[in-house]
Amino acid sequence: MQYLPSYKTFFTIALLSGASAYAQYSPEKPYAGKVGATLSQSTVAASPFNPAAPKGAPNIVYIMLDDVGWGASSAFGGLVETPVFDSLANNGLRYTNFHTTAICSPTRASLLTGRNHHSVNVPTVIDAAVNFPGHNGYMPFEKGTIAEILREDGYNTYAVGKWHITPSPDLTPAGPFNRWPTGRGFDAFFGFMGGETDQYTPALWENTVKVEPDLHGQHLTTVLVDKAIAYIAAQHSAAPDKPFFLYFTPGATHGPHQVDKSWVEKYKGKFDAGWDVYREQVLARQKKLGLVPANVTLPPRNPGVKPWASLSPVEKKVFARFFEVYAGFLSHTDYEVGRLISYLRDTRQLDNTLVVLIIGDNGASKEGGLSGHVHGINEYINGNLFTESYDSRIKEIDSLYDKIGTPQSGPNYPVGWAQATNTPFRYLKQDANSEGGTRNPLIIFCPKLIKQGGIRTQYSHVNSVTPTVLELAGLTVPKVINGYPQDNLEGISLAYTINNPAAGSRHHVQYYEIAGGRSIYKDGWKAAVAHERGTPFSNDKWELYNLNEDFNEQHDLAAASPAKLKELQALFDEQAYKYKVYPLLGDSTRITPALLTRGPLDSRRSAVLYPGLTQVPTRSAPFLSEQSFIINADVELKDDQAAGVLLAIGGRFSGFTLFVQDGRLKAVHNNNGRLTDLTASRKLTAGKAILRYELKYTPARRLTDPAGTEILYVNDEKVAERTITKEDAVITPYDEGLDIGRDQGSAVSPLYRSPYTFTGKLNHVEIIHP
């Protein structure tokens, strides 16, 4: 086996404060000893009070990365060096026909439960769940997670990293917490609840308790590995014969792409030849490794992607830098996973550990647009990527060249690199119709079971992983978990492939659907439609592919084989009704907040919030985007020098903040790094006051169009007013949430340093939707 980097960590005992896990099934048993009137008349007998795992049961580790394309890591032919992944693959099995759902939350829900994602009510990212069966975001307890199953089998269970499958309405300090990680079978959780987070000031939780976000310069992936090792160290010290399950899901390599400069400089100049050459070199490596058929050719570039040779010198410069950062981020992740693997080896646990490594929860990300971005994912969410001048964007990115990848940036590469890292496939993350959106590398490593590395080509899906692991470990799903009768698993175990590379595929049918884009697979044939969001489904044009002969979907057979297409369309319809895929979303019917699953804060016209409330995710907080609202802060001031944040939502890349500075009330919008502010015309005075902000929204079409006014009041006296644009009114920061009385994460405005706690007495803040 190849050498893996040694670990460096402190041996710590993890305090599992704040956990709210359900009890394991452990009924009281008849006492086997003798109970006499006195101790001398009694006989002690050993009494097992807790479930015990079968003797020799393996440790189980799930490692899932985020937004990594099929052709990124060297383990699958990519040009990004991942020696740890290479080692696991070379001493385990590479699965080349493994599929995810095309986007993060559904993939994670399917992985943990062994079911299809609509079966567990997770149709797309959990933030966009809507109130229909199959779509509401509430994973049923009748469909237990692998953690719930393993706890009943006597395992300790830990989740470290990204979660992103708790319904948005439940992500408040009031919970309920039964669908947080510790409510779905994990003894302990340390990580972030949203889809992404900053790598240096992350929104972290331990169990259900908020963790201060400042990592003091450490990278999040390093901190996550340290925490995973601490959990395992404590468990192994207390019960060395007890197996554990670790669900390790770092934010890498989802945006923002941030990593220490030393990792970036390792790749300086190595991608100057561009994405076209990258694709050619990776395809040649994939063929040499035996990962793709020898006759595979590269598909055309995705729409809008320019030939690298046609780019200007500035475009080449900044685009190469984006990918140097990405490559450094992925290599750093590989190194950190190596610390975890080395720890298990050094503590003599690795030989009895089953490692499932999934390199990406979907295809490479399109969220950088054609230009890439440096100010965070809100440039994609708000639409700036698609409405601003391309040339102006390139000029701005060039001016920030030295910051790309640092904590002062929130980068994601342009889609030309996304397709390159998806080599040899076309299309990307979110495209449930395509192999580029749904095919990811799977590596299974288990020294006890796998004696020689190899490649497996049998068709499989992320819902196959949990059934596979349970079969390999000799475990079964309890008929009842926490009082809930359990439904059947829906994935097909891959255990039959471990020692039989030539075995025929047993996973015959699989549907895919994200936001109306959809496909259906049956025994090598695939019918698919790339639905354009916002258009009627009657406009959709289905395509047909024979994947047995056309590895990367280059030859549409719909016209040549209409009967086969019709057969598969009928099969999709059947599967869609069976697994609650309908109704399809993404047509001309707009998904308004009224359709979303709504929580206690975003379903009232008025919400009173108190200091101490921090980092409530945007979708869980009162909804402020593109609508009129009023903020009233009830304060008491000692003098005219009060300062600090009253309300902040978001962080340094995007958000809104209402605060006092130099005795004056201020409001600042951070629109992807562009700042607009409103300052009161006079200073505050000592005494009680109601500090009021009012946004009067007028619907607008373009981000730059006028969209109403915003006004500041002190005790009903108007002290400032200005006209706003639609961009100011789109208040949907994704990485960081809502804080009252301070700015808990990174500062929304550079006018202050977070947390910038309010120095007066803040009684409460009321948000009113008139």
Side-chain angles (χ1 to χ4, degrees), residues 371-620:
S371 64
H373 64 66
V374 292
H375 295 299
I377 196 171
N378 271 78
E379 294 195 68
Y380 174 82
I381 295 173
N382 294 353
N384 298 75
L385 277 175
F386 315 108
T387 59
E388 294 176 351
S389 162
Y390 175 85
D391 291 338
S392 297
R393 290 189 58 80
I394 296 300
K395 184 176 180 180
E396 182 192 19
I397 293 168
D398 185 38
S399 72
L400 299 170
Y401 177 89
D402 291 332
K403 291 186 177 180
I404 298 174
T406 70
Q408 288 72 48
S409 69
N412 202 339
Y413 54 38
V415 293
W417 283 120
Q419 184 173 8
T421 57
N422 259 6
T423 301
F425 303 109
R426 202 176 182 199
Y427 304 122
L428 305 163
K429 173 184 177 180
Q430 303 186 36
D431 298 329
N433 57 294
S434 74
E435 296 294 291
T438 62
R439 198 182 289 219
N440 284 93
L442 168 67
I443 296 167
I444 296 181
F445 170 88
C446 186
K448 183 184 287 188
L449 297 175
I450 302 169
K451 304 303 180 185
Q452 184 175 357
I455 293 173
R456 299 293 183 267
T457 61
Q458 292 85 356
Y459 186 91
S460 59
H461 185 267
V462 66
N463 62 23
S464 303
V465 172
T466 285
T468 301
V469 165
L470 293 175
E471 183 174 350
L472 293 177
L475 305 171
T476 59
V477 180
K479 292 183 178 180
V480 176
I481 296 178
N482 296 321
Y484 293 93
Q486 292 298 294
D487 294 341
N488 293 331
L489 300 179
E490 294 165 1
I492 307 299
S493 170
L494 282 166
Y496 72 96
T497 69
I498 298 295
N499 296 312
N500 189 357
S505 294
R506 296 182 182 176
H507 198 132
H508 299 293
V509 174
Q510 182 61 50
Y511 82 88
Y512 299 85
E513 192 276 338
I514 298 293
R518 57 205 186 276
S519 59
I520 184 73
Y521 168 92
K522 182 182 179 184
D523 292 331
W525 285 89
K526 179 177 176 182
V529 59
H531 175 71
E532 182 180 349
R533 297 180 195 183
T535 64
F537 288 110
S538 58
N539 293 352
D540 288 351
K541 181 183 177 182
W542 284 79
E543 300 171 350
L544 178 68
Y545 299 99
N546 182 355
L547 299 181
N548 295 319
E549 300 175 358
D550 183 13
F551 185 81
N552 54 355
E553 301 175 303
Q554 295 197 60
H555 306 289
D556 180 8
L557 303 177
S561 303
K564 175 59 77 171
L565 177 60
K566 187 174 182 180
E567 171 196 335
L568 290 177
Q569 287 174 309
L571 180 60
F572 179 86
D573 199 49
E574 172 193 302
Q575 296 285 295
Y577 280 115
K578 179 178 180 180
Y579 293 113
K580 300 185 292 186
V581 178
Y582 290 145
L584 295 177
L585 309 178
D587 63 3
S588 53
T589 302
R590 187 181 179 196
I591 298 178
T592 65
L595 293 175
L596 299 172
T597 50
R598 297 166 68 77
L601 287 175
D602 69 351
S603 58
R604 306 200 300 264
R605 299 194 71 85
S606 172
V608 178
L609 312 176
Y610 296 90
L613 183 70
T614 65
Q615 290 297 292
V616 178
T618 302
R619 266 289 294 115
S620 309

Side-chain angles (χ1 to χ4, degrees), residues 11-67:
F11 186 87
T12 60
I13 301 298
L15 298 176
L16 308 183
S17 60
S20 59
Y22 287 114
Q24 290 170 296
Y25 181 71
S26 184
E28 189 171 8
K29 297 180 176 65
Y31 187 60
K34 175 186 175 183
V35 178
T38 65
L39 183 59
S40 61
Q41 295 172 330
S42 303
T43 305
V44 176
S47 299
F49 294 104
N50 299 305
K55 187 174 182 179
N59 303 313
I60 298 169
V61 177
Y62 285 4
I63 302 172
M64 176 182 278
L65 272 59
D66 204 330
D67 285 8

Side-chain angles (χ1 to χ4, degrees), residues 708-719:
T709 59
E710 62 179 358
I711 310 169
L712 294 177
Y713 295 88
V714 176
N715 291 329
D716 293 328
E717 178 190 349
K718 183 187 297 187
V719 292

